[in-house]
Amino acid sequence: MKDKQHKYLWWQEGIIYQIYPRSYQDSDGDGVGDLQGIIKRLDHIQSLGITAIWISPIFSSPMADFGYDISDYCDIHPLFGTMEDFDELLEAVHDRGMKLILDLVPNHTSSEHPWFKESRSSKDNPKRDWYIWQDAKEDGSEPNNWLAMFGGSAWEWDEKTQQYYYHAFLKEQPDLNWRNPEVQKVMMDVMRFWLDKGVDGFRVDVMWHMIKDDQLRDNPINPDYKPHQATYEKLIPAYSTDQPEVHDIVHMMREVLDSYDERMMIGEIYLPIHKLMTYYGTDQNGAHLPFNFLLLSTDWDATKIASNINQYEGALPDGGWPNWVLGNHDQPRITSRVGMEQARVAAMLLLTLRGTPTIYYGDEIGMRDVPIPENEVQDPQGLNMPGLNLSRDPQRTPMQWDSSENAGFSNNKPWLRLPDDYRRVNVKAQLDDKYSTYTLYRRLIKLRQEEPALHIGDYRPVEAKAPLLAYLRYTSDQRFLVLLNLSHKPCHFAPEHFSFEGTIEIDTLPEREGGRVSGHVSLSGDEGMIIRLDQS
Ligand code: GLC
Ligand code: MG
């Protein structure tokens, strides 16, 4: 049982909402979302009951990777607005009692960043060592076999200075050399710049990539590679990612945050559970929340999901706070992975598990991946590896606000097209509909935010047969039983060694709410319920 005196922090008790700024709300009619647009939509976020907003990059950038290629870490891209707009947004978010988390992209800059321009200008430039430069092998080939995440070799030849530079992503995104103390210092200064303004934390981009093997050894071949996978998957990134020294860097960032009050850091990390856990650091000196992407990668199967939840819970270090993610700008939306009906069950799962949930914008109305015709594809991951269906555009389409032209997103043609059904599937249409996904989200959030058992309580699995997932969330004076049918067919919960009695509090079939249950329950296909158990 959790210590009653323990003070929980906002990022533990609360709920995070991710905004992809190009697609949230356009205010100036250029078809691209912007900061004033977000300000205009804060009512929506607040009435949903969100604690903190994380905004994907809004900084100066040539937009080769839509803002994840930064050319000035301390300025706002004019497409999104000005620094004044940012200050206004931060104040407006704080005025509403919410928090603001920015995206920090420390692994690489844009090739247009002045640092890189200097670095590539000559071999003896003082910033040469800020990036990863290497001679060619004797035959002129790349220094090693490392591959770029977005296709092809990770090494780019520089004709002028006759060396290769390393880029884990696009060639327009050269990797910084984090072994260089000046690089470390300048990025800590970037953090302080935003923290001084009052930003509440950072989501740190590709945290596990930040340091590479000091000998730059070849990556091993992946024996399980399948041709439909991205070329990057041909190798196992054993030497290009997740190096032991990365934890010193994460710790350094943590120290900057800890010199302020209640600021936090989330790490974007795609690694297996036992490796993910190392990013909490020794004695909690690492990331506050290493992003847990288990729900993005596990098959939608009750046995597998239950097993993963329990492995994750069991692997957490002492004091390590859990977190859960259903979607982000890099992954197909939950509705497109498990279907519209199961996405509602998934929402109940996300918002009743132990640990901070992150909601991806649009999931609260059940937005679906939008098919983007080949000649409209914008995402470099899609363009560079055509035919593999890897474009991330479908999950980055404009927020569907209402049934007006362009869905209330813009008064101009949006940068990515809307789905044909946006006149039916939008915020306005769902607001007052008791049965809508929006209403389900809002009620799940409200219940979670109100009930300590749900936001800070303990978790215990309850034995159930697939397709049913069952668990308890509880404090000393309150218990909730969560039953989720992860299939389309009816199923029955009739535990042998667990007796219970209670009232259905929230159900994906609202008709059942308020109903009494005891001993056993039958569930419809795609049904999930939260039962408030009687206190004996
Ligand atoms: C992260 C971002 C992704 C970006 C990549 C390179 O994975 O989430 O969108 O393309 O880093 O910066
Ligand atoms: Mg705009």
Side-chain angles (χ1 to χ4, degrees), residues 371-433:
I372 305 294
E374 216 174 331
N375 62 347
E376 290 175 23
V377 173
Q378 312 246 5
D379 177 25
Q381 180 167 287
L383 291 170
N384 291 5
M385 293 178 281
L388 296 180
N389 203 15
L390 290 173
S391 168
R392 297 168 294 181
D393 294 336
Q395 59 264 30
R396 297 176 173 180
T397 58
M399 182 69 175
Q400 294 154 214
W401 293 106
D402 57 42
S403 61
S404 69
E405 204 175 348
N406 304 320
F409 164 72
S410 175
N411 55 23
N412 211 332
K413 186 172 178 263
W415 76 286
L416 281 175
R417 64 162 63 205
L418 289 153
D420 296 312
D421 62 2
Y422 81 80
R423 287 196 163 78
R424 272 190 289 133
V425 184
N426 60 63
V427 175
K428 192 150 179 249
Q430 295 192 11
L431 269 184
D432 301 319
D433 176 356

Side-chain angles (χ1 to χ4, degrees), residues 155-276:
W155 295 97
E156 179 72 12
W157 180 247
D158 182 59
E159 204 47 58
K160 185 172 169 215
T161 57
Q162 295 286 300
Q163 275 191 321
Y164 283 100
Y165 68 85
Y166 174 70
H167 58 91
F169 296 89
L170 297 172
K171 66 178 193 314
E172 291 85 359
Q173 294 168 296
D175 280 47
L176 283 162
N177 173 19
W178 272 88
R179 294 178 187 275
N180 182 311
E182 290 170 5
V183 168
Q184 298 170 4
K185 179 176 179 301
V186 81
M187 203 57 76
M188 300 305 130
D189 289 344
V190 167
M191 290 177 74
R192 285 191 201 94
F193 174 83
W194 294 105
L195 292 168
D196 287 342
K197 274 189 174 287
V199 162
D200 300 286
F202 299 103
R203 171 268 191 189
V204 181
D205 192 59
V206 296
M207 187 179 261
W208 83 115
H209 272 261
M210 286 175 51
I211 286 231
K212 344 300 171 189
D213 177 43
D214 56 358
Q215 301 169 49
L216 301 177
R217 284 169 281 187
D218 274 352
N219 276 328
I221 304 287
N222 174 8
D224 301 323
Y225 175 73
K226 307 269 170 347
H228 69 269
Q229 290 180 296
T231 51
Y232 178 75
E233 307 289 340
K234 285 183 178 167
L235 303 177
I236 294 169
Y239 292 101
S240 51
T241 65
D242 192 37
Q243 298 301 295
E245 301 94 316
V246 73
H247 299 292
D248 300 335
I249 303 301
V250 176
H251 177 53
M252 200 181 291
M253 293 175 154
R254 173 68 180 252
E255 283 191 316
V256 171
L257 291 158
D258 283 351
S259 66
Y260 294 78
D261 198 28
E262 288 197 13
R263 313 298 170 94
M264 60 88 73
M265 148 168 81
I266 310 171
E268 186 207 18
I269 301 153
Y270 285 91
L271 286 175
I273 294 177
H274 67 284
K275 294 208 161 183
L276 181 67

Side-chain angles (χ1 to χ4, degrees), residues 21-22 25-37 78-81 409-410:
R22 294 181 72 88
Q25 176 66 52
D26 178 22
S27 74
D28 59 0
D30 62 358
V32 177
D34 43 54
L35 297 179
Q36 283 298 336
L79 201 55
F80 298 122
F409 164 72
S410 175

Side-chain angles (χ1 to χ4, degrees), residues 343-364:
R344 293 164 56 84
V345 178
M348 191 171 275
L349 173 67
L350 175 73
L351 291 160
T352 55
L353 281 171
R354 189 176 82 90
T356 312
T358 299
I359 299 171
Y360 185 50
Y361 87 94
D363 281 359
E364 73 270 37

